[in-house]
Amino acid sequence: MVLSLAGCAVDHPDKKLYAKQGVLDLCGQNLSGGQIVALNGEWEFYWDRLLTPDNFHGEKSLPEMSGFFSLPGTWRGHRIGEKTLGSTGQATYRLKLLTDQPSGRLTLRIFDIHEAYKLWADGKLIAQSGIPGRSAATETPARTLKLAEVPLTGQPVDLILQVSNYHFRRGGIGEPILAALPGPLESAQTRDWAISLFFAGCMLVMGVYHLVLYLWRKKDVAPLYFGLYCLLVVGYSVTSNSSGWVISILLPGWNSVSMEIFSLSCFVCWASLLYRFLMTIYPDEFHSFPVYLLDARIVIFTILLIFAPGLPLYWFIAVCLLQTFLYAAYYLHRVSLCVRRKRTGARILLTGLVIQFSAGINDPLVHMGIIRSVYLVEPAVFLFILSQSLVLSKHFSKAFSAVERLSIALEQKNQSLQKEIKERNRLEKKIVSISEEERRQLSHELHDSLCQQLTGARLRATAMAHGQVGEKDGHELAELAEILKTSTQDAYKIARGLWPVEHGQSGPSLEALARSIAKATGIRITFNQTCNCKKCENEDITTLYRIAQEALTNAAKHAKAKNIRVQLDCCGSSIITLTVSDDGVGKEISNNEEDGGLGTSIMHHRAKVIGAQLTIGRSPSGGTIVKCTAPCIKSNKTKSEVENDG
């Protein structure tokens, strides 16, 4: 029988290389050409006995044979007379190899014998996995891959194989024992392990990559499920017979029993994560109830692992394998629905599912011994994971494109909004400028018209009162003159409040404001100005004047201040700073325009119009400090330029 896929499967038996009645004739085979043969055929079979080479010494004391058993094959269902064998038990197999090789060595490959065995060649123990026993208590199970060497002397080779199974659902030799001269089997095994490590490495990279994606954006759980699914597939792949337990290269000391438990745990758990991933990316097509069944499967597996780790556990694994067909059919149906609904990446995922479905049919049948084939789980799962990665990539690409479109639209709206804000600020400044101009005109009209008329009326009333001294009309005229005097003073105050006449066309004077309020309130007010310009030419000085006017008014009315300090700084740093501080009672004042009183809100609004920053708070020495920092266009001029302008 010739190997068709290294280390995994063989062609249909060649009758010339098929053991008959316990003898396999290899004479005349060109093994030196790299040929690999399978020791298939009829082996001597000794049921319910664990025999050793010592039991076969002497022709008179040979043990009674139960018959011949065709390998590969498990003894479950095999009939010996009227008796049908079950899953558990122990047996001894014997084969005589006829070879014409006068010297050298023959390499045997023994793979995945359930569940413990010992192999002798010409009376010498050449391979062992676990410890065969006559009960579950005396058996130490271990499913492994072994390469054993058999010395060749030109004489027949007597092979005795002792097998027991009290833990797996099928006992016996399910995989063919392969033989070749040194080299081909080792090369095939190295190649198979390299391929397994390649697939495992690719899946590991994809898993870690998607876990990192999840850490960057935890709102999307699809990369989390996919990343964990990849890691479980890697865990199963490197610790199962599908890869020849390739993890033993990296961790040679790992106990085979715990490795088997780890492998089965990964197999049982990954289905739940896979379904959650599909349900996350296609929530409208995948139902929620199957995930509870998959979670229940994990719970049942855990219970069996703790309380019944032998045959019941492996029968449950068989049930899980059969469930694979049902879930694969369900996945295909739902993803086909996604394709009809034109969901993102559905066609790619459907292709991967078809490949996975093929492996999902093949591998369980191989595992249960129903068909003879190779394990396809690694390449199939790799391609399936690759298809899922492409689906996630398309989802991310679609999301990035949407974000890009939204960013462009947002940028356009921002530009439009900035233009609108700029135009609004221009209009607000224009309104403030017009308002100030109207205040100036109204102030001048009051001063030049009403105030003058009131002054004239007061003087006329005073003159008339002097002309009628001692008379009743004279007394009334004197009272009228006094009322007109008060009205005149009030009119002048209103006119100066709107726009002090002495400011002229060039703008208001903070120093004059300080003197005026100091004179009206009796509070000591000091004014200091540090400026490169002989005369402040900042176009926003009027707004700063109004802020200072409001701050001084508040300090005079509410702070009970005795001293107020006004400071204006503009030292060529492109900013102008107005500071009004007092030594009054002070209070916590919010810098939020909406939280303060009317006066505070007005100050904040005026500062906002000119692009200034206004802060109001406690002064370190007590009292309140109002500070307004605004841009100053004129401050960039040098001192010489200012003097030349003057």
Side-chain angles (χ1 to χ4, degrees), residues 268-511:
V268 172
C269 294
W270 84 35
S272 178
L273 291 170
L274 172 60
Y275 193 87
R276 281 180 163 85
F277 165 73
L278 295 173
M279 191 169 60
T280 301
I281 60 175
Y282 301 124
D284 296 332
E285 285 73 27
F286 281 82
H287 305 99
S288 59
F289 68 87
V291 77
Y292 301 116
L293 300 178
L294 293 171
D295 291 344
R297 191 171 77 167
I298 297 174
V299 174
I300 296 173
F301 171 79
T302 304
I303 294 173
L304 291 176
L305 184 62
I306 297 173
F307 298 104
L311 283 174
L313 177 64
Y314 281 99
W315 278 114
F316 177 72
I317 294 299
V319 173
C320 293
L321 287 169
L322 292 176
Q323 287 179 344
T324 303
F325 297 107
L326 298 177
Y327 278 100
Y330 176 78
Y331 293 158
L332 287 173
H333 175 263
R334 304 316 294 178
V335 175
S336 299
L337 181 61
C338 294
V339 172
R340 291 196 298 270
R341 294 179 178 179
K342 298 182 179 180
R343 302 300 189 205
T344 302
R347 292 184 180 275
I348 299 174
L349 188 59
L350 181 61
T351 303
L353 271 174
V354 171
I355 298 173
Q356 176 72 355
F357 184 66
S358 302
I361 296 175
N362 176 83
D363 288 8
L365 296 178
V366 173
H367 186 76
M368 291 184 288
I370 299 175
I371 63 172
R372 303 293 306 155
S373 180
V374 298
Y375 284 109
L376 300 175
V377 60
E378 288 184 344
V381 171
F382 170 75
L383 293 175
F384 179 50
I385 288 177
L386 182 61
S387 68
Q388 293 179 84
S389 297
L390 293 175
V391 171
L392 278 179
S393 299
K394 292 201 70 173
H395 274 273
F396 288 142
S397 177
K398 184 177 180 180
F400 292 154
S401 298
V403 170
E404 186 177 10
R405 290 194 299 270
L406 289 174
S407 298
I408 294 173
L410 182 61
E411 181 65 23
Q412 293 174 348
K413 289 184 179 297
N414 284 340
Q415 292 177 357
S416 176
L417 184 60
Q418 288 176 356
K419 291 180 180 179
E420 184 178 342
I421 291 174
K422 186 176 180 181
E423 179 64 17
R424 178 179 175 182
N425 289 337
R426 187 189 68 81
L427 291 175
E428 286 184 345
K429 285 186 177 182
K430 186 68 175 178
I431 290 172
V432 170
S433 176
I434 293 173
S435 174
E436 292 297 334
E437 179 62 23
E438 290 180 347
R439 290 167 69 106
R440 187 184 67 81
Q441 292 179 359
L442 182 59
S443 173
H444 286 181
E445 289 177 2
L446 287 174
H447 183 275
D448 296 340
S449 179
L450 180 61
C451 291
Q452 299 299 330
Q453 292 175 3
L454 288 174
T455 300
R458 179 181 66 81
L459 293 175
R460 180 75 179 269
T462 301
M464 293 175 64
H466 284 304
Q468 299 183 20
V469 177
E471 297 182 5
K472 180 179 179 181
D473 291 340
H475 178 70
E476 291 178 351
L477 287 171
E479 290 180 351
L480 177 61
E482 189 64 27
I483 292 173
L484 289 172
K485 179 180 179 181
T486 303
S487 299
T488 303
Q489 293 174 348
D490 291 341
Y492 274 116
K493 287 181 180 179
I494 293 173
R496 288 192 178 92
L498 290 172
W499 185 272
V501 178
E502 59 270 22
H503 294 171
Q505 188 69 30
S506 61
S509 169
L510 289 173
E511 186 176 5

Side-chain angles (χ1 to χ4, degrees), residues 2-290:
V2 182
L3 186 74
S4 63
L5 184 60
C8 296
V10 292
D11 291 332
H12 294 291
D14 186 339
K15 298 299 182 180
K16 295 180 180 180
L17 294 178
Y18 194 76
K20 295 181 179 180
Q21 296 185 352
V23 179
L24 180 62
D25 188 1
L26 298 180
C27 296
Q29 297 299 319
N30 185 23
L31 297 180
S32 60
Q35 185 180 15
I36 300 174
V37 298
L39 306 185
N40 292 353
E42 297 175 347
W43 288 50
E44 294 180 10
F45 187 59
Y46 301 86
W47 174 247
D48 201 26
R49 284 171 288 182
L50 296 176
L51 304 177
T52 65
D54 294 337
N55 298 113
F56 293 93
H57 285 170
E59 295 296 333
K60 295 182 180 180
S61 60
L62 288 178
E64 183 179 356
M65 186 172 59
S66 303
F68 294 99
F69 196 100
S70 294
L71 296 185
T74 59
W75 61 60
R76 183 172 180 268
H78 182 72
R79 296 183 63 86
I80 300 178
E82 299 296 328
K83 182 180 179 180
T84 301
L85 303 184
S87 300
T88 60
Q90 59 280 331
T92 301
Y93 300 83
R94 186 184 183 202
L95 178 68
K96 183 174 290 187
L97 283 178
L98 302 181
T99 175
D100 56 1
Q101 296 286 337
S103 61
R105 293 173 292 116
L106 188 69
T107 300
L108 300 183
R109 178 183 184 271
I110 308 99
F111 175 70
D112 200 18
I113 294 180
H114 306 298
E115 185 76 10
Y117 71 87
K118 287 183 180 180
L119 175 63
W120 289 269
D122 291 333
K124 181 181 178 181
L125 183 66
I126 61 172
Q128 179 177 354
S129 180
I131 301 175
R134 300 187 65 84
S135 66
T138 58
E139 179 187 78
T140 301
R143 297 170 62 188
T144 58
L145 167 64
K146 298 285 186 180
L147 293 180
E149 291 186 349
V150 178
L152 298 177
T153 61
Q155 300 297 320
V157 178
D158 189 21
L159 298 178
I160 297 176
L161 180 58
Q162 193 182 92
V163 179
S164 72
N165 175 57
Y166 285 94
H167 290 82
F168 198 66
R169 63 180 179 273
R170 291 182 292 108
I173 305 171
E175 299 290 336
I177 298 175
L178 305 179
L181 293 180
L185 286 175
E186 291 84 352
S187 299
Q189 187 57 58
T190 301
R191 181 172 61 251
D192 290 346
W193 276 349
I195 293 173
S196 297
L197 288 175
F198 168 76
F199 286 131
C202 292
M203 290 184 287
L204 179 63
V205 169
M206 283 189 279
V208 173
Y209 170 74
H210 286 92
L211 288 179
V212 173
L213 284 181
Y214 169 72
L215 292 177
W216 285 346
R217 190 172 183 270
K218 294 185 178 181
K219 291 183 178 180
D220 186 5
V221 295
L224 172 64
Y225 293 141
F226 183 71
L228 293 176
Y229 167 71
C230 289
L231 295 185
L232 289 179
V233 171
V234 172
Y236 170 79
S237 174
V238 299
T239 59
S240 68
N241 58 350
S242 63
S243 67
W245 298 280
V246 68
I247 193 64
S248 59
I249 301 175
L250 305 176
L251 302 173
W254 194 349
N255 180 272
S256 59
V257 175
S258 61
M259 187 188 302
E260 180 79 2
I261 293 173
F262 179 80
S263 174
L264 294 177
S265 301
C266 293
F267 168 74
V268 172
C269 294
W270 84 35
S272 178
L273 291 170
L274 172 60
Y275 193 87
R276 281 180 163 85
F277 165 73
L278 295 173
M279 191 169 60
T280 301
I281 60 175
Y282 301 124
D284 296 332
E285 285 73 27
F286 281 82
H287 305 99
S288 59
F289 68 87

